[in-house]
Amino acid sequence: MNPYVPSQPMFQALPPGPPPMVNNELGGSYFSSPSPLPLPCKGTAMDKHTALGWITYLTSIDQVHWIEACVLLAAVMGIFLQLLGSYRRRTKNLLIRFPLWASYVSTISMLSYITGLMHTSSSNIGLFPTWLFPIASWLLIPWNISAFSLADIDNRKSFVWTGLVQIFWVSFIMNKFNDPTVSLSLVLVWPLMSTKFDERAAALKYASLSTSDGVAETTRKIADYMIKEHELSDEAEPDPTSMRGYKYLVGVKDAKGKVKLAPSCLLEFDKDKVITLEDIWQCEGLLSSTGEDKDGKLKDICLSFALFWLLLRRYAGYPLHESKLEKTWRFFHDGLLSKGPERAFTVIEGELEFLFDYFYTRYYAIYVSGLRRKFWLLGMIVLYSLIATIILSIHQVVVNDPSLTIDCNLEADLTVTKALIIAMAALEFLQVLTILTSNWSKVSCLCSYVQINKKSSFSCIDGLRQIMTVMICRTATPWAKPWARKLGQYSLLKSYNYVPMRCLKRLLGDMIDFPRNGQKESKSVKLSKEVKEAILSCLLVNGPRLSDGSASLQRNGAAELQWACQLETHTHVILVWHIATSLCEIKAPRKPHDAAYFKVATSLSKYCAYLVALAPGLLPDHPNVTNTIFDQVVGLAVEVLKGTLCNRSKCYQSLISLDTTDAIASGNILQRGALLGLQLLGTEDDNEKQRWKVLADFWAELMVFLAPSENVRAHAEYLAQGGEFITHIWALLTHAGILKRDVSAAP
């Protein structure tokens, strides 16, 4: 039985003409008169007018249901983007990343399709305008994602024009409904959507290298400032523990004296016009060790922000003048590393979090324009919600009118409308709450706090700002980790025989990047405290001069292995040592004598192999060179290890049985790896602890040696893919003044 048409006795006569429909005052066609709509009885002829009327009637019902389904799907996509848009920096899981990407690339098409359906719909439903705004807002302007990749920033003009066309199209569809409440909604919606869209367009502009006020101009002022930074201090001897003598930029005072987080406001190199790290560390009250900042986390957030601006210069190609100063190494050695590896890497995590937000979210654009604009937008959202509620109430009154019979499923439409209004209001409040509790907000409030503390007198507004600063700084978001905090892993002896599905590769190979033969990632492992300690210990031992692993071998009495550090390319070195480490791992007991060394050596070995196989752009060699060598090694492993079926013991026997007489000169990576493995294993079993210490120290030293890079774009790209540990080491070395590796030590 049709739930939308009242059932009638089968013997009633069928009146000519289409089913009687009554257009309601709101432009809809949900309601009919209480007079019954008889169904044709069996054997009764139906004239063509009646048939066309019924076809139109039933088609309109199906069309409304289809529009409802599309609206709900678009709402799910939009909410998914809203809530998880920035989560991609914290995960490498394809089950999250792929739906996010699919939702992101489908937004324009989905919105165009829905607006087209509403425009051509024969059911002129008055609730359509109420649905359009939240859907368009979520799909076009997700608040925590402005770009999915750096390519979106490069193509920002295309996005801006496409978005403007969509906004005009949505406004045109809403204007189709002749109703005063809808017209009032349009008056609010147009400036609201335009303002939100302008924020996203501004975020793309600031992150672009090709605009006059983009990242190149912003970082130019920072670069100019850092040329004279060491001259702004009155301290004869800079002290990195108290930050005296370190005038690294945190906030800038504009022409009106207000503190801004935008370096573009920096008009002159006056130490009274900026808020620096020295000001933050010397501020009393909230930021003192006896106040709210006993553990120093608030000061570290400001430190991360200052370092973020210094790191951003490398993306624009500006030189880092402070890298040549002695105070830079002292800042790294006695300041950043003074409280151990956890604190140092936490500061770097915060710095890269700011860098991610700058490129891929709207946070920087929001704080350039000011938070007042965000509260104005929130007020507009509240007004729109009130008007939408009024429209909803009018429809509800009509539904409850006993003199009308509902022909279409209006109650379902009202439920959809209520859900959209509630979701829109909740997401907007969540957005404001997230922005207020973000590190951007904390840095902004702390800069204002420092400025107020410098004053000789306080006003009531200053007092309120101080209270707000304390409240914001007390908030914490423990669930929002800055990145995945995992090391990708790859084992050649486990994945050499992997072959992707050839049929899918032939069908979709031109559209997506399919993995190559042998390119199968192992399960990621958690970044351990031992790995962090090994990296920093290497930096403290070697100082600003990097080593390719030879220095660690010399210290551990294994100088005879230095031949494996001086091969043709860095990729050769990584793969030879990876094979040797894998052989040692196979022979190791289930419970090694020193688990810490074992964990560091095996995890870093597989991580470097992972970089070769899956992230060659982060390594010193050209990616094409790395890929070619990797493909050759996989092909060679398939030939040599044929029949082992990736069995550890069989792989071990096959490799150690290779002829290694002329391995060093042959260039065969498998033979070299087997030779190195046999040298490490030796003939005695009592040297296991020393063996793993040699391997752990070598991999830590090689990891640091590989990190310096001029390919800043690759590091920025991987920030949006869960992050890579080598990026954190790269940033750490940048602030130590180590921008390049020693050429004489390079292969």
Side-chain angles (χ1 to χ4, degrees), residues 285-300:
L286 177 65
L287 288 167
S288 66
S289 57
T290 57
E292 294 286 337
D293 196 28
K294 296 179 181 179
D295 53 3
K297 289 185 178 180
L298 295 180
K299 288 194 285 288
D300 283 347

Side-chain angles (χ1 to χ4, degrees), residues 35 51 97 136 161 164 171 181 265 291 302 314 320 335 345 348 401 423 446 484 494 498-499 511 514 612 655 661:
S35 58
R97 294 185 52 78
W161 283 108
L164 286 175
S171 302
T181 53
C265 300
C302 296
R314 299 198 70 179
L320 277 65
F345 280 104
I348 297 300
D401 191 343
L446 289 173
K494 289 183 179 180
Y498 169 75
V499 178
M511 291 180 282
F514 262 83
V612 169
L655 286 173
T661 305

Side-chain angles (χ1 to χ4, degrees), residues 202-276:
L204 294 174
K205 178 186 67 174
Y206 291 134
S208 174
L209 281 170
S210 60
T211 56
S212 58
D213 50 354
V215 62
E217 176 61 19
T218 299
T219 52
R220 183 190 65 80
K221 293 198 173 185
I222 299 173
D224 292 344
Y225 173 82
M226 289 303 294
I227 293 176
K228 300 183 178 181
E229 179 269 337
H230 63 284
E231 301 175 0
L232 300 177
S233 175
D234 298 329
E235 300 291 332
E237 190 70 21
D239 181 11
T241 57
S242 63
M243 291 299 171
R244 291 188 181 275
Y246 289 91
K247 297 286 186 178
Y248 292 178
L249 192 67
V250 181
V252 179
K253 298 178 184 178
D254 62 10
K256 298 180 180 179
K258 295 181 179 180
V259 176
K260 298 288 186 181
L261 300 185
S264 56
C265 300
L266 188 63
L267 301 178
E268 54 182 324
F269 303 115
D270 187 347
K271 60 182 180 181
D272 295 327
K273 297 291 184 180
V274 295
I275 304 295
T276 66

Side-chain angles (χ1 to χ4, degrees), residues 459-476:
S459 63
C460 294
I461 296 179
D462 291 337
L464 292 175
R465 287 179 178 174
Q466 301 286 62
I467 295 174
M468 185 180 71
T469 299
V470 173
M471 293 176 61
I472 290 176
C473 291
R474 284 180 176 177
T475 59

Side-chain angles (χ1 to χ4, degrees), residues 391-401 410-411 414 418:
I391 298 175
L392 194 65
S393 302
I394 296 174
H395 279 80
Q396 191 69 53
V397 169
V398 178
V399 170
N400 296 332
D401 191 343
L410 177 59
E411 293 183 356
L414 293 176
K418 292 175 184 177

Side-chain angles (χ1 to χ4, degrees), residues 488-519:
Q489 302 284 278
Y490 176 83
S491 175
L492 178 65
L493 301 187
K494 289 183 179 180
S495 304
Y496 71 89
N497 65 344
Y498 169 75
V499 178
M501 297 181 66
R502 295 179 180 177
C503 57
L504 288 179
K505 189 173 183 179
R506 289 176 182 175
L507 290 174
L508 305 175
D510 294 334
M511 291 180 282
I512 60 177
D513 295 330
F514 262 83
R516 307 191 307 279
N517 291 349
Q519 200 179 29

Side-chain angles (χ1 to χ4, degrees), residues 109-409:
S109 301
M110 193 68 178
L111 184 59
S112 300
Y113 181 66
I114 291 175
T115 50
L117 283 178
M118 291 180 178
H119 180 62
T120 59
S121 173
S122 57
S123 298
N124 195 18
I125 298 175
L127 291 175
F128 282 171
T130 312
W131 298 351
L132 262 181
F133 171 63
I135 296 300
S137 178
W138 295 338
L139 292 181
L140 273 181
I141 325 165
W143 61 268
N144 59 0
I145 177 171
S146 59
F148 202 85
S149 66
L150 294 183
D152 295 334
I153 298 174
D154 297 335
N155 299 324
R156 65 180 188 85
K157 292 182 180 180
S158 174
F159 159 76
V160 169
W161 283 108
T162 305
L164 286 175
V165 169
Q166 289 299 317
I167 291 177
F168 277 107
W169 180 231
V170 169
S171 302
F172 173 76
I173 297 300
M174 293 181 69
N175 195 45
K176 171 186 174 183
F177 301 90
N178 298 320
D179 184 83
T181 53
V182 173
S183 300
L184 184 57
S185 298
L186 185 58
V187 171
L188 288 175
V189 165
W190 174 249
L192 187 57
M193 287 192 65
S194 300
T195 305
K196 291 168 71 72
F197 183 79
D198 180 64
E199 270 185 2
R200 186 176 180 185
L204 294 174
K205 178 186 67 174
Y206 291 134
S208 174
L209 281 170
S210 60
T211 56
S212 58
D213 50 354
V215 62
E217 176 61 19
T218 299
T219 52
R220 183 190 65 80
K221 293 198 173 185
I222 299 173
D224 292 344
Y225 173 82
M226 289 303 294
I227 293 176
K228 300 183 178 181
E229 179 269 337
H230 63 284
E231 301 175 0
L232 300 177
S233 175
D234 298 329
E235 300 291 332
E237 190 70 21
D239 181 11
T241 57
S242 63
M243 291 299 171
R244 291 188 181 275
Y246 289 91
K247 297 286 186 178
Y248 292 178
L249 192 67
V250 181
V252 179
K253 298 178 184 178
D254 62 10
K256 298 180 180 179
K258 295 181 179 180
V259 176
K260 298 288 186 181
L261 300 185
S264 56
C265 300
L266 188 63
L267 301 178
E268 54 182 324
F269 303 115
D270 187 347
K271 60 182 180 181
D272 295 327
K273 297 291 184 180
V274 295
I275 304 295
T276 66
L277 284 181
E278 184 181 61
D279 297 327
I280 298 291
W281 253 254
Q282 300 305 315
C283 182
E284 298 295 332
L286 177 65
L287 288 167
S288 66
S289 57
T290 57
E292 294 286 337
D293 196 28
K294 296 179 181 179
D295 53 3
K297 289 185 178 180
L298 295 180
K299 288 194 285 288
D300 283 347
I301 291 175
C302 296
L303 175 59
S304 296
F305 188 76
L307 296 181
F308 145 69
W309 283 124
L310 301 184
L311 188 65
L312 190 61
R313 288 174 300 167
R314 299 198 70 179
Y315 182 78
Y318 291 110
L320 277 65
H321 298 281
E322 74 278 6
S323 63
K324 302 176 183 178
L325 301 177
E326 182 184 353
K327 62 180 284 190
T328 302
W329 174 254
R330 291 189 57 194
F331 164 79
F332 171 77
H333 187 276
D334 300 331
L336 198 56
L337 305 187
S338 61
K339 297 181 181 179
E342 288 299 326
R343 187 255 184 166
F345 280 104
T346 299
V347 170
I348 297 300
E349 285 180 355
E351 171 191 2
L352 295 178
E353 183 179 5
F354 283 118
L355 191 64
F356 172 89
D357 289 339
Y358 184 88
F359 283 119
Y360 301 110
T361 72
R362 289 189 282 155
Y363 278 106
Y364 180 68
I366 289 171
Y367 280 92
V368 167
S369 60
L371 280 178
R372 293 181 181 178
R373 186 177 184 180
K374 181 56 60 180
F375 285 108
W376 176 80
L377 288 176
L378 182 61
M380 297 282 284
I381 289 289
V382 172
L383 286 176
Y384 177 81
S385 300
L386 290 175
I387 293 173
T389 304
I390 294 172
I391 298 175
L392 194 65
S393 302
I394 296 174
H395 279 80
Q396 191 69 53
V397 169
V398 178
V399 170
N400 296 332
D401 191 343
S403 62
L404 296 174
T405 302
I406 302 175
D407 287 335
C408 294
N409 195 4

